[in-house]
Amino acid sequence: MDGNGRWAKERGKLRVFGHENGVEAVRKTVENCAKLKIDFLTLYAFSTENWKRPKLEVQTLMRLLVSSLQKELKTLHKNNIRLNAIGTIDYLPPKAAQELREVIENTKENTGLTLTLALSYGSREELKTAIKAISAKVKNNLISEDDIDEKLINTHLYTHDLPDVDLLIRTSGEHRISNFLLWQIAYAELYFIDVFWPDFREQHLVDAIINYQNRERRFGKTSEQLS
Ligand code: IPE
Ligand code: MG
């Protein structure tokens, strides 16, 4: 979800105004994904690098997180959505971390869309943490070096209970991955759209999905092998 700041700047407003309007786009997109019977939606809400932003902006983002979690619990239940989070959640302000854990606990029995918020998330940090955990297991003879395969690595990632990414959408016209799910997007289809996040609507989501449906995912094979 990119472009909140530029969206606000275009209107002569402060960046926080963009974030406030970005929240509405999140709400709509989550509901639309539930309506479209999508099983997994992961939103890159705050990166490990975003901590370097001005303090006021970080505070605003955390405040918006808390208020959204409080406000949207009912909507999550109504749409049968299970909340999940990836990232160094312990680094969040205590109130935000607590609210997040409560909503995750509260919605864990829901069986529809799994909505994952990437918060204080960085793919390199995730991989570093996984490598450390695996190394410790080898060192303590809990596993041997030969046990390390892709499946074992997967189980040590924050995304251990999520499938690989099928479709990655980045808004705002930037063509970058910015440290998001590097391992998990190995064979994802990438879709870049020149719309700032607060303007992202149902039609943009539908367009992205239709575009995705018209791609041929070969996973290294030839086209002939697929048919
Ligand atoms: C995305 O919008 C929201 C977050 C990263 C939290 P930006 O804040 O990155 O907006 P731009 O890229 O400066 O326009
Ligand atoms: Mg940005």
Side-chain angles (χ1 to χ4, degrees):
M1 303 182 286
D2 197 16
N4 291 354
R6 279 164 284 166
W7 185 89
K9 197 173 176 187
E10 248 182 22
R11 287 160 177 77
K13 306 270 191 184
L14 297 173
R15 294 179 58 80
V16 295
F17 182 68
H19 295 314
E20 282 161 2
N21 282 273
V23 171
E24 188 52 25
V26 170
R27 228 177 50 77
K28 286 194 197 120
T29 302
V30 169
E31 281 199 302
N32 289 329
C33 285
K35 195 171 85 182
L36 291 167
K37 301 266 182 272
I38 287 167
D39 291 319
F40 298 92
L41 171 68
T42 302
L43 297 174
Y44 200 7
F46 194 85
S47 74
T48 46
E49 289 75 27
N50 285 152
W51 290 114
K52 295 178 202 151
R53 290 194 178 188
K55 205 171 156 190
L56 183 70
E57 183 168 346
V58 172
Q59 279 173 353
T60 302
L61 286 166
M62 295 301 149
R63 177 173 57 73
L64 287 172
L65 171 64
V66 172
S67 64
S68 304
L69 288 167
Q70 289 169 342
K71 255 190 272 172
E72 301 306 333
L73 182 62
K74 252 193 251 151
T75 320
L76 293 179
H77 280 306
K78 198 183 88 196
N79 292 288
N80 196 20
I81 298 168
R82 176 175 78 95
L83 190 72
N84 179 42
I86 56 172
T88 47
I89 302 308
D90 291 340
Y91 291 1
L92 298 179
K95 180 124 181 61
Q98 188 201 332
E99 199 68 47
L100 189 63
R101 291 203 173 94
E102 275 175 29
V103 179
I104 289 171
E105 177 63 24
N106 211 301
T107 59
K108 71 176 182 199
E109 308 290 349
N110 290 346
T111 55
L113 173 73
T114 295
L115 168 63
T116 301
L117 300 181
L119 288 163
S120 187
Y121 175 85
S123 195
R124 288 184 169 184
E125 190 280 330
E126 175 182 41
L127 289 166
K128 179 202 75 186
T129 303
I131 291 165
K132 278 190 173 175
I134 295 167
S135 307
K137 284 183 185 172
V138 173
K139 191 174 142 198
N140 296 316
N141 292 315
L142 294 168
I143 57 170
S144 84
E145 197 185 316
D146 293 335
D147 294 327
I148 302 173
D149 56 11
E150 291 186 12
K151 208 172 144 215
L152 182 109
I153 294 169
N154 262 321
T155 62
H156 287 81
L157 299 175
Y158 296 129
T159 54
H160 55 88
D161 56 352
L162 303 177
D164 276 351
V165 176
D166 288 316
L167 169 62
L168 181 148
I169 302 171
R170 181 174 185 146
T171 57
S172 93
E174 304 289 5
H175 297 172
R176 276 193 294 279
I177 302 300
S178 303
N179 203 10
F180 188 52
L181 301 174
L182 299 179
W183 171 276
Q184 299 88 339
I185 62 165
Y187 271 101
E189 296 297 325
L190 308 182
Y191 186 83
F192 299 99
I193 170 174
D194 202 358
V195 162
F196 293 140
W197 175 252
D199 288 331
F200 190 80
R201 292 289 174 276
E202 181 174 19
Q203 194 53 51
H204 300 124
L205 177 67
V206 170
D207 289 346
I209 294 168
I210 291 172
N211 183 292
Y212 167 84
Q213 287 173 332
N214 285 309
R215 295 189 191 188
E216 182 181 60
R217 303 187 76 191
R218 291 190 292 277
F219 297 95
K221 294 184 181 174
T222 67
S223 196
E224 291 69 30
Q225 283 176 298
L226 298 174
S227 52

